[in-house]
Amino acid sequence: MKLLSGNSNKPLSKSIAKYLKSKLVNSSIRKFSDGEIYIEINENIRGNSIFIIQSVSSPANDNLMELLLCIDALKRSSAKNITAVIPYFGYARQDRKVVPRTSISAKLVSNLITKAGADRIVTVDLHAGQIQGFF
């Protein structure tokens, strides 16, 4: 088991790693000048179970994209399985159509996380139980 931290919750990630007597995966997460996010895993994680800790909180779109790119990088690095630990699940309040012609954003975000390659999701409060069915 290995832990990877996104940029949204570095202190939480470090506390979890300390509690588990583990180290965080050596990675490089940075932004290019145009705002694009770049993820690089700097150690061999082949065959390991990886837990990525990343909230989808403000700035929600940047943190979501970082989560998706981290999952993809882990998948391409041959991780055995990937668990996304998402203390704050952004877009959870948009879990149904209130008026016609609107997006169900919670469903879209859950689809993105699943399609990126996450095997499991751990979160604290999904706002509504029905979101569990989106995964």
Side-chain angles (χ1 to χ4, degrees), residues 71-84:
I71 293 169
D72 184 65
L74 292 169
K75 202 72 166 164
R76 294 175 189 280
S77 300
S78 300
K80 180 181 178 182
N81 52 53
I82 301 165
T83 301

Side-chain angles (χ1 to χ4, degrees), residues 16 51-55 67 83-87 120-123:
I16 292 170
F51 289 77
I52 176 168
I53 303 157
Q54 174 76 346
S55 280
L67 173 63
T83 301
V85 179
I86 309 171
R120 288 182 297 270
I121 308 294
V122 176
T123 190

